[in-house]
Amino acid sequence: MIKSMIRDYVRSMIRPMIGDIVGGDTSSYIITIDTTKTGTTASNQYRLPVFGTYDVDWGDGNSSIGVVDPQIHTYSSGGTYQITVSNTFNYVRHLASGNDPAKMVSIDQWGSAQITNLNQAYLNCVNMDILASDIPNTSNVTSMFFSWQNCSSLTSFPLIDTSNVTSMTSTWQNCSSLTSFPLIDTSNVENSSLTFFGCTGLTSLPLIDLSSMTFASNMFGGCTLNTTDWSNLIIQTETLNQNNSVT
């Protein structure tokens, strides 16, 4: 009963925010990149780690239609460009070799794509922040391991739908610029090891639901949460250790 109430509340907060951008295209995924940042491609190139079939506007007057999976684009000169991707892709992943995570500067709009996977989505995007005012469609995502690991420039995080997620292993590990976090739905999360490990700037956190967790090793290692939040988490963890074998 409590889990369903939390889930309904989070979804009611998220849905009005989807597409809440004034004017323009609200369905596309829009990012800003800087090709001169360190990467595996040349200083005037960028490898877009998008999977699925999609159209892309590269931000320099050139477009690619109906492309499949990651694509490399060469610009006439190195610099900052805003890339727009149609809403038909499946997911983003920075894990595979040859990607340019450090060239990601910002997520400007999530768009309406039904994201199917967030594993390693923005792994090692050390220069990236989230500037989007809309919310990604993550209702079908079940796993988020290493999703934003090492995103050390990330200063805030949106209230996304995590109601079906069961694994949050190292999801925000080493996001050292985060200072606070929204009350996401963790009611179905079983593995949360290292979720916030190394988030050295994190000083406050809502009392998230730990009721389904069976493994939470070093979940908050290195965090500097205030005394009240720490106490609330410890009390809840102590109780769950007796009932759910949280480790």
Side-chain angles (χ1 to χ4, degrees), residues 103-136:
K103 294 187 178 186
M104 274 279 292
V105 175
S106 63
I107 299 173
D108 305 322
Q109 179 173 285
W110 291 102
S112 58
Q114 176 69 66
I115 299 173
T116 60
N117 196 319
L118 275 173
N119 292 336
Q120 302 106 15
Y122 299 97
L123 176 67
N124 294 326
C125 290
V126 295
N127 296 309
M128 185 195 76
D129 202 358
I130 298 175
L131 304 180
S133 60
D134 63 333
I135 303 296

Side-chain angles (χ1 to χ4, degrees), residues 61-79:
N62 293 301
S63 299
S64 300
I65 307 299
V67 294
V68 180
D69 294 343
Q71 300 288 314
I72 294 177
H73 183 68
T74 301
Y75 294 90
S76 60
S77 61

